[in-house]
Each structure stands twice: as C-alpha cells, then as structure tokens.
Amino acid sequence: MSNDRDFSIIRETVPFFLFRPCVQAHPGIEVATYFVLKFLDIPFLMSDDQTCCGFPTFFWNMSPPEVMVSLCARNMLLAKSLACKAVLVVCNACYTAFNHALRELSNNEDLARRIAEIIGRTPDDVNDLDVDIFHVPEMFYAFKDEILRRMRFSLEGLRVAVHYGCHYRRELMFRKFDDHKNPRFVDELLSDLGAEVVDYSEKNLCCGGSGIQSRVHYELSENICIRKLESIHRVGADMIVVWCPACMYRLDICQRDLYKSGKIDFQIPVLHLSQLIGLVLGLNPRTQLCLHLHAISTQPLLEKIKEIWVKI
Amino acid sequence: MERAIKEDLRKRAGNIETCYQCGMCVGDCPAARFSNFNIRRIVGRFLLCSLGDIFERENIWDCLLCFECAMKCPRSINPALFIINLRYAGVLLQDINTLLKMSKIIKFAENIMETGLSVPLTDNLINLQREVGIPPRSVSEDALRDVKRIFEKSEALEYMKKVSRNV
Ligand code: SF4
Ligand code: SF4
C-alpha cells in the first residue's frame, strides 16, 4: 500500500534538529522522543537558542503574520547553522507553522526581504533556507525496519485508535506522505508492530482543542471532544495514539475532567506516538517515557501488553 | 478605513471571489456540526456585504481552524485562512467581540516575547528533565534578544496594544 510513497528522503536528512515543544502538560512527549531516537541510534541535536515556532502569534491572531514566519525562519537558520538538514517536530502546530512559513516564503520575494530585515539576516539567507520539516509519524515510518528489528514487545491484542489530527492531515495535503482525506500509514506501521488498529466513525473529527477554542468557546469545544471520544469508546479501543501535545491535552486531561463531571463514563488512556514506539522498544515506562504523568492512568494499558507487567 | 481593510482582505483571501456557494466546506466542518456557524454563509456575506455586517451577525470565533474546509473546497479556496484574516480585520476595526476574545489569549504572545516560549518553563519540568537525564530546557540570552527584535521590528507591540487597549 505504501510502496509508492517515498519516506527514504527522511533518512538522508540526519542529524535532525529536534524541535522542543512549548506545551509541556505531558513532559513524556519530549522525553520519550529523546530516548527513542537515542535507542535507535538516530543522530539528532538540540539547542538552547531554539524558541517557540510562533504558531499562536499567527493562527490565534496575537501578532502580525510576520512574527510567526520570522520565528520559524530564525529557528530553521539555527538548525542549518548546526549542519542539520531537517527540523524534527513532535507537535502538529509546530509542523503547520514551519510548513506554512516555508510556503509563504517560497512564493513571495517581498516577504522574504521583509523577514530578512526583521531577523537581521540577508534576503539570500531567508530565500535559501534549504531545511526540511518532518514530524515523528513519517520519521518513525522511515525507520520502520530498525524498529521492527529492535522491538521487544508486540502490541498484539491491543486495540488502538489513531488520531491524526486536523493540522497533520492538512499538511499531508502538501507533503503527500499519504492521502490527507484518509491517511493510513500510521495504522499500517502500528499493525506491523502487532496492534489491532480500529476504525471509528469520527476518525477525522477535530479533538475540539484548537488551542483557543477551549478558552473562547468552551461548550463547543467540549461537545466536539465528547463526540470524538464516544466514537472511540464504541469500537472498544484500549488506547488512543496522537502526535500532538495539544490533541493530547484535549484527549487526556479534558477526558479525565469529562469523566469526573459525569459527562462520559469511560476513561481511555492516550499516548503520544513516541511513547508507544518507546514501549514497543522496551524503554522504561516511567523514567524514559513518563507514562505515570498522564491524567488518565496508563497502568491498565501496560497490563494489557501481557509481557510488560510492570507497575509504574 | 473599512473599505481599505476589506480591499486588503480581498487580496489576501486570493481566489475567494471564485466561491460558487456549493457548501462543500460546510459538510465536515466541526463548528457547523455543533453550532449554527456556517462558513459558506460567511464567505457569501463577505462577497456581498460589509465587514461590519459580518461582525454583527456571525460568530467568527466558532471556527476551530481545523482546515477541514480547505481540504474540501473544489475551488481551492482556503476558508480557514480567510477566517484568520477576518479576525485580523476585527482587531484593526476594533470590533469589541474580537477584542474580548483576543484578550483571553493574548497572554501567549506576551509569553513568547518575554520568555521565548508560549508556555513559560517551570521548575517542576526542569527538575524532571534533569532526573530522567535529558538536557534541561532553557532559552539562551541570544535567543531572547532575537525574539524581542522580531516583535519590535514587525510592529507587534503596537498591534498587541490595539488588542488590550479597549478591554
Ligand atoms: S467549498 Fe469553496 S466554493 Fe464551495 S461554498 Fe465553500 S468556499 Fe465556496
Ligand atoms: S477551519 Fe473553521 S470553517 Fe473550516 S472546517 Fe474547520 S471549523 Fe469549519
């Protein structure tokens, strides 16, 4: 199914510049990504010169559009200065911000000049960024052979609901790793790791977060989230996998709140894809994946993966 | 002033004039499913009415910016991006509803300007990162200086004042 899709370019862009997320309600996202990359011997760098990608400044209208493009360009130039050919993100918002900035710059000379002036670089620097952007799902897919070779636990018997996230599907429209209307490649990756990937009717529905919706329009946001969760619950999923700290916040922390207030009567553990891959590779669920720091206990999940049986 | 802003919006919205009101953008729109928000109607209103009319009669804040509409439009219009631009226009025109919504979230931009990150670091996070053995996060002085420069040079400070002034 995925034979015609070319993930191999991703392998050629190491070392990655690992882009650290701002939203840290689940510190395990970053921790797991770090340890999985190390375990798989995939080279990467990090830097304290990194800042936020600027997503909220444009997508939430908090500053003129140039701010986000400038922050992205500056971070990409930082990656380039460290001899990284690609930025690796763990968040759908970062993914969207960088890709959007690249698209804006690529067909607008005036903008490139303006951004160069704002960040104090030459227009040539900005025109010739030559840095690619990858997200963990396509990166893990590109390193599937290594994961299969080094896996310690199979996901056999585990019913997994995959949430791609709106902003990820939207970028697939341009990045073309898969069909953005019905992406399957992560389902396929997880099936290869033994999981039983379940289809559910609201697979493409937003998590309800959208960053600001939960602040400016709580009820709408909550209703969307409930609809999504119920659809996942109906098909009997043991867990949900996401690759965005914002979706994770919504589906884990808000799910717990919905449960506490009696609006739903179930709790489904939510993992970031990096954490799930880490489990498969046998990394320590507590010290390398931080699975004890979730709102909804991940313990039942660990018990389901028969061989693991650890208490976190 | 409104005329100029609308003209600018029209330019930014690119091919929005080619909208033939087919409604494909509404079919899977989560905001439409859970409220009476209708993106087709808003695009239509933009083409026919004044901006003031939109701000008065539509709640443009119901949009989740999920881009589902942009994935569906047969004319390759990007209604979500259009909504972002409408909200910018709302700030410029000092639309009170826009300003009220913005005031609830402007903190994130202030965070970025002051700390380089949209959510400031906490001791808990740093301690945890130390404990598990990943490099503890920090933002360098150079980075902070660059971020300040970006906010200053792109006139973000004036813009952010427009948001907080009237609320
Ligand atoms: S899908 Fe496109 S053409 Fe159809 S109503 Fe929506 S914006 Fe207009
Ligand atoms: S971006 Fe807004 S208008 Fe478009 S589908 Fe999503 S909620 Fe609806």
Side-chain angles (χ1 to χ4, degrees), chain B residues 18-25 40 43 72-75 77 79:
Chain B
T18 65
C19 168
Y20 62 130
Q21 293 284 297
C22 67
M24 289 289 283
C25 48
R40 179 197 54 76
V43 173
K72 299 287 154 61
C73 175
R75 293 274 157 100
I77 294 167

Side-chain angles (χ1 to χ4, degrees), chain A residues 166-167 206 210 213 220 224, chain B residues 24-33 37-40 42 60 62-72 78-81 83 87:
Chain A
C166 310
H167 292 151
C206 169
S210 159
Q213 269 309 321
L220 172 67
I224 293 173
Chain B
M24 289 289 283
C25 48
V26 179
D28 290 314
C29 166
R33 285 176 60 191
F37 178 86
N38 185 313
I39 184 65
R40 179 197 54 76
I42 296 176
I60 58 169
D62 276 352
C63 167
L64 296 139
L65 294 182
C66 67
F67 288 90
E68 197 66 57
C69 47
M71 293 187 245
K72 299 287 154 61
N78 188 337
L81 213 51
I83 288 284
R87 291 174 182 174

Side-chain angles (χ1 to χ4, degrees), chain A residues 214-261:
Chain A
S214 49
R215 284 166 205 269
V216 301
H217 205 148
Y218 193 76
E219 213 177 306
L220 172 67
S221 169
E222 195 176 83
N223 288 339
I224 293 173
C225 190
I226 293 175
R227 178 70 64 97
K228 173 114 203 162
L229 289 167
E230 280 174 344
S231 152
I232 294 173
H233 176 61
R234 256 198 309 278
V235 296
D238 298 311
M239 64 162 289
I240 304 169
V241 66
V242 300
W243 40 91
C244 174
C247 300
M248 183 118 165
Y249 187 97
R250 216 54 220 145
L251 294 176
D252 181 47
I253 296 177
C254 298
Q255 184 188 173
R256 190 247 346 247
D257 295 346
L258 289 169
Y259 177 80
K260 278 195 170 162
S261 62

Side-chain angles (χ1 to χ4, degrees), chain A residues 28-81:
Chain A
I29 294 176
E30 189 181 9
V31 172
T33 308
Y34 179 93
F35 285 116
V36 169
L37 290 171
K38 288 262 179 224
F39 185 85
L40 291 173
D41 300 313
I42 299 170
F44 67 96
L45 298 165
M46 295 150 97
S47 166
D48 285 350
D49 289 330
Q50 185 214 307
T51 68
C52 172
C53 66
F55 181 94
T57 61
F58 174 65
F59 285 90
W60 304 350
N61 294 76
M62 287 174 199
S63 295
E66 289 86 353
V67 171
M68 185 185 87
V69 181
S70 299
L71 289 169
C72 285
R74 182 192 165 279
N75 282 312
M76 281 188 267
L77 285 166
L78 167 65
K80 196 173 174 178
S81 73

Side-chain angles (χ1 to χ4, degrees), chain A residues 74-259:
Chain A
R74 182 192 165 279
N75 282 312
M76 281 188 267
L77 285 166
L78 167 65
K80 196 173 174 178
S81 73
L82 298 169
C84 297
K85 290 200 196 93
V87 174
L88 178 67
V89 301
V90 299
C91 166
N92 288 355
C94 301
Y95 197 55
T96 299
F98 278 115
N99 281 309
H100 182 88
L102 277 175
R103 279 197 298 276
E104 288 286 294
L105 287 169
S106 72
N107 46 32
N108 190 339
E109 286 269 325
D110 288 345
L111 180 67
R113 252 196 307 278
R114 171 110 175 88
I115 299 301
E117 185 196 315
I118 292 173
I119 63 175
R121 304 288 292 251
T122 69
D124 281 350
D125 286 343
V126 176
N127 266 322
D128 184 29
L129 280 172
D130 197 26
V131 175
D132 213 333
I133 311 297
F134 297 117
H135 198 342
V136 286
E138 64 248 23
M139 185 274 295
F140 285 137
Y141 196 97
F143 288 94
K144 185 161 89 170
D145 289 348
E146 282 82 347
I147 297 173
L148 285 170
R149 206 165 44 237
R150 304 191 59 182
M151 69 189 277
R152 275 188 59 204
F153 301 113
S154 159
L155 296 177
E156 214 165 306
L158 203 66
R159 291 172 66 80
V160 181
V162 183
H163 171 66
Y164 284 78
C166 310
H167 292 151
Y168 189 69
R169 285 197 302 115
R170 158 76 175 159
E171 288 309 322
L172 282 182
M173 223 173 128
F174 303 98
R175 303 305 311 257
K176 301 204 172 13
F177 291 115
D178 206 345
D179 171 16
H180 66 276
K181 289 195 176 132
N182 181 26
R184 307 282 317 170
F185 78 96
V186 179
D187 303 38
E188 196 188 309
L189 169 67
L190 297 178
S191 304
D192 288 350
L193 300 175
E196 187 187 334
V197 179
V198 293
D199 268 321
Y200 58 103
S201 56
E202 299 289 6
K203 193 165 179 179
N204 282 348
L205 181 62
C206 169
C207 64
S210 159
I212 48 171
Q213 269 309 321
S214 49
R215 284 166 205 269
V216 301
H217 205 148
Y218 193 76
E219 213 177 306
L220 172 67
S221 169
E222 195 176 83
N223 288 339
I224 293 173
C225 190
I226 293 175
R227 178 70 64 97
K228 173 114 203 162
L229 289 167
E230 280 174 344
S231 152
I232 294 173
H233 176 61
R234 256 198 309 278
V235 296
D238 298 311
M239 64 162 289
I240 304 169
V241 66
V242 300
W243 40 91
C244 174
C247 300
M248 183 118 165
Y249 187 97
R250 216 54 220 145
L251 294 176
D252 181 47
I253 296 177
C254 298
Q255 184 188 173
R256 190 247 346 247
D257 295 346
L258 289 169
Y259 177 80

